[in-house]
Amino acid sequence: MTPPDDCLARNEWICGTYLSTRRHILLDAVLQHLELTAVSVLTALAVALPLALVARRWRLAAGPVLGLTTVLYTIPSLAMFSLLLPVYGLSASLVVAGLVLYSLTLLVRNILAGLRAVPEETRQAARGMGYGPFRLLLAVELPLALPAAMAGLRIATVSAVSLVTVGAIVGFGGLGNLIYAGMNTYFKAQVLTASVLCVVIAVAADVLLLGVQRLLTPWTRAARA
Amino acid sequence: MTTLGDAWAWLGDPAHWAGEDGIGHRLAQHLVLTVVCLLLSCLVALPVALVLGHLGKGGALAVNLSNAGRAVPTFAVLVLLLLTPVGRWEQGPTVVALVLFAVPPLLTNAYVGMRGVDRGVVQAARGMGMTGWQLLWRVEAPLALPLIMSGVRVAAVQLVATATLAALAGGGGLGRIITAGFNLASTPQVVAGAVLVAAFALVVEGLFEAAERLAPGRARRRGRAR
């Protein structure tokens, strides 16, 4: 019996047979990739918002908060995941924790910049209308800080999609797992397909968040028109 | 805390410092890769950015390149390069990937810096009869220096991180200590390698920070574009 002479056997970069026969593997990897990214970015957002508020409220806290997040951002991803190994072991939590630490810098910086850019007159006008501190924050300051915060969220999300691949070192890297396995077996179609899918996810997430931002801030469009 | 103790003991063992796979050799590799690739990337990116910034053309390219650099996973590029003919030369994929990922921040920051030069200053220089090249060299480039340098700083930190990842795709550098630790299932070695890499990255960032503080006032950074 002769082996089949298809693009898989010839180890070609672009291979339709690979797509059709490995559909389930690809789908599972994409789902894991999306899950890891979404959980990390949402967790980071939940941590970053209070940190940014604290840094704005107390000037003394701003320096250490920004300094610490910058230091975390400087540590290379592979080292970050490795430093978390004793805490989390070989688990998905390790990848999520690492990604949360990375996203924090971008989110805290941008939310803080957005909050600081709210004009003082706007704040005074709201207070004059009888807004308490909590309502002022929710109804005036946060919406006005939204464009800057969303810019940070978009960068954090795109970076997270790309960094999830490094999670392959502990076996939880979404599409990175396929790239890692494909590297060890010189499987060109698998490496290229997984890489392209990564970029597609990153671009799709970016466009999606841009759409969300437009929906949430209709006044910015009205002002431009 | 025992893991940190074990990692410290691992670092203290002289046997781990010597030889081809030793810390000394890996550290030197990491340093050479970072410095050589930083110089290469500057040689590629800065002339292009300065000329484009001077002419005021290609702004969309300069900005989008930075966004594209973020969306493409470094690890994927390293592995793709390894499977192409570049992979036949041992450090080939590493060097190419390092330069590819260092160019966008250099290009974007230098371009934004050049465009940010006060138009009044540029017009005054033209009025004094400066030619295009004189304007670029004597007026625009010096005024754009703070942003150019912050681009170099971002690129350097990026290079250290990419050089670490290169170990996953068989490249040299400190990352090899981490990947070897994973292969041996030795948590102390993984943590020790990570501490070395993190320290290396922070020292690089610290050097740039110090250089910035020592620089004369007009060369200091006012803002950073990424």
Side-chain angles (χ1 to χ4, degrees):
Chain A
M1 200 184 100
T2 54
D5 183 39
D6 58 3
C7 55
L8 279 177
R10 287 194 300 271
N11 196 16
E12 283 172 5
W13 284 105
I14 299 166
C15 180
T17 322
Y18 173 76
L19 283 178
S20 54
T21 55
R22 309 291 207 283
R23 219 172 31 230
H24 299 291
I25 301 176
L26 281 168
L27 189 66
D28 285 347
V30 168
L31 287 178
Q32 190 187 53
H33 209 104
L34 291 175
E35 198 182 335
L36 288 168
T37 310
V39 172
S40 319
V41 173
L42 290 175
T43 313
L45 196 59
V47 180
L49 190 59
L51 274 182
L53 289 175
V54 166
R56 189 190 56 145
R57 181 71 185 75
W58 292 282
R59 218 160 255 285
L60 274 178
V65 166
L66 289 180
L68 185 68
T69 47
T70 308
V71 165
L72 288 175
Y73 198 70
T74 308
I75 297 174
S77 50
L78 188 61
M80 181 75 94
F81 289 151
S82 306
L83 285 173
L84 294 169
L85 183 67
V87 187
Y88 292 100
L90 299 171
S91 68
S93 320
L94 178 142
V95 180
V96 170
L99 292 175
V100 166
L101 291 176
Y102 274 117
S103 312
L104 269 183
T105 311
L106 295 163
L107 291 173
V108 170
R109 259 176 206 285
N110 278 273
I111 297 174
L112 193 59
L115 286 174
R116 281 182 173 164
V118 175
E120 188 53 37
E121 304 91 80
T122 312
R123 244 181 239 131
Q124 285 175 359
R127 277 199 208 102
M129 287 169 70
Y131 278 50
F134 193 62
R135 205 166 143 222
L136 176 72
L137 178 71
L138 282 187
V140 178
E141 292 180 309
L142 282 181
L144 285 177
L146 207 61
M150 286 299 288
L153 188 65
R154 281 170 62 200
I155 297 178
T157 308
V158 171
S159 308
V161 171
S162 137
L163 281 174
V164 165
T165 53
V166 182
I169 186 90
V170 293
F172 292 90
L175 290 160
N177 290 341
L178 297 183
I179 298 175
Y180 199 55
M183 174 183 80
N184 292 330
T185 52
Y186 273 76
F187 194 168
K188 290 178 177 173
Q190 175 154 309
V191 172
L192 186 65
T193 310
S195 307
V196 170
L197 280 173
C198 270
V199 177
V200 169
I201 293 177
V203 173
D206 198 38
V207 171
L208 185 77
L209 286 173
L210 186 64
V212 170
Q213 182 185 345
R214 293 217 166 159
L215 281 178
L216 287 177
T217 58
W219 64 87
T220 53
R221 257 175 306 158
R224 220 175 291 144
Chain B
M1 288 321 270
T2 49
T3 323
L4 274 184
D6 290 344
W8 187 249
W10 193 92
L11 281 176
D13 187 343
H16 294 143
W17 283 81
E20 181 81 353
D21 293 326
I23 299 170
H25 182 232
R26 293 301 181 201
L27 198 62
Q29 261 185 334
H30 212 95
L31 190 65
V32 169
L33 274 175
T34 310
V35 171
V36 169
C37 292
L38 185 60
L39 291 176
L40 268 178
S41 330
C42 285
L43 278 178
V44 173
L46 291 184
V48 176
L50 292 185
V51 169
L52 285 180
H54 172 70
L55 298 174
K57 284 182 183 144
L61 172 88
V63 174
N64 286 328
L65 202 62
S66 224
N67 290 333
R70 230 188 319 263
V72 179
T74 316
F75 178 47
V77 171
L78 280 163
V79 175
L80 285 172
L81 285 168
L82 186 70
L83 300 187
T84 60
V86 180
R88 269 181 233 145
W89 179 43
E90 203 195 335
Q91 298 296 341
T94 313
V95 171
V96 175
L98 281 166
V99 172
L100 277 179
F101 281 95
V103 162
L106 285 169
L107 201 67
T108 306
N109 278 276
Y111 182 85
V112 171
M114 289 294 279
R115 295 312 297 161
V117 172
D118 189 345
R119 289 297 104 187
V121 174
V122 173
Q123 278 170 1
R126 273 195 208 284
M128 286 169 68
M130 280 195 175
T131 63
W133 281 111
Q134 285 175 325
L135 186 66
L136 194 161
W137 269 118
R138 298 213 204 139
V139 179
E140 290 176 313
L143 285 174
L145 196 62
L147 265 178
I148 296 175
M149 284 316 291
S150 84
V152 175
R153 178 177 172 171
V154 173
V157 172
Q158 172 95 58
L159 281 170
V160 174
T162 311
T164 315
L165 266 187
L168 279 179
L174 286 171
R176 278 298 267 274
I177 297 171
I178 298 178
T179 51
F182 270 108
N183 290 337
L184 298 167
S186 157
T187 306
Q189 182 174 343
V190 169
V191 175
V195 168
L196 285 170
V197 170
F200 191 94
L202 291 173
V203 165
V204 168
E205 173 93 1
L207 283 178
F208 276 94
E209 179 80 36
E212 205 170 88
R213 284 185 190 203
L214 291 174
R218 69 175 174 81
R220 268 182 217 151
R221 169 176 52 140
R222 282 154 300 175
R224 186 195 284 205
R226 303 190 54 150

